[in-house]
Amino acid sequence: MSKTDLVNYMAEAMDCSKAEAARALDAFVAGVTEGLKKEGKVTLTGFATFTAKEKEAKTGRNPRTGEAVKIPARVAVAVKAGSKLKDALN
């Protein structure tokens, strides 16, 4: 499902315009992003938990040449599905 498809679904489900649904989706994404920046974790009980995890710098290998490549430190996001989401999919 693309962002456009999701906005269309939300607009229909909320009985509002696509512009309002797009603003709501953008606000949700901004809220999750801000929560991860400030607290490192966002929990939506039953749906999912988003967690920011710091990854240390490491040395990798270029698979074509075998040459060593430095991979810089970064912050990655892990998403763990909640019980209601898991149940809905199975």
Side-chain angles (χ1 to χ4, degrees):
M1 178 180 276
S2 68
K3 182 178 179 180
T4 303
D5 295 335
L6 184 55
V7 166
N8 291 337
Y9 177 84
M10 290 173 59
E12 188 175 316
M14 295 173 16
D15 194 27
C16 66
S17 70
K18 290 179 184 178
E20 290 172 321
R23 283 194 305 273
L25 181 57
D26 290 341
F28 170 77
V29 171
V32 170
T33 302
E34 191 64 26
L36 288 172
K37 283 182 181 179
K38 286 185 176 179
E39 298 178 23
K41 189 174 184 180
V42 175
T43 302
L44 303 172
T45 304
F47 178 68
T49 299
F50 300 86
T51 308
K53 294 185 177 184
E54 292 194 23
K55 301 285 186 171
E56 294 183 8
K58 62 182 180 179
T59 302
R61 296 252 173 232
N62 181 329
R64 287 190 182 160
T65 64
E67 180 183 345
V69 179
K70 289 185 179 180
I71 301 171
R74 62 189 174 95
V75 176
V77 176
V79 180
K80 183 177 178 188
S83 60
K84 290 181 184 178
L85 179 59
K86 287 179 188 177
D87 291 345
L89 296 176
N90 290 313

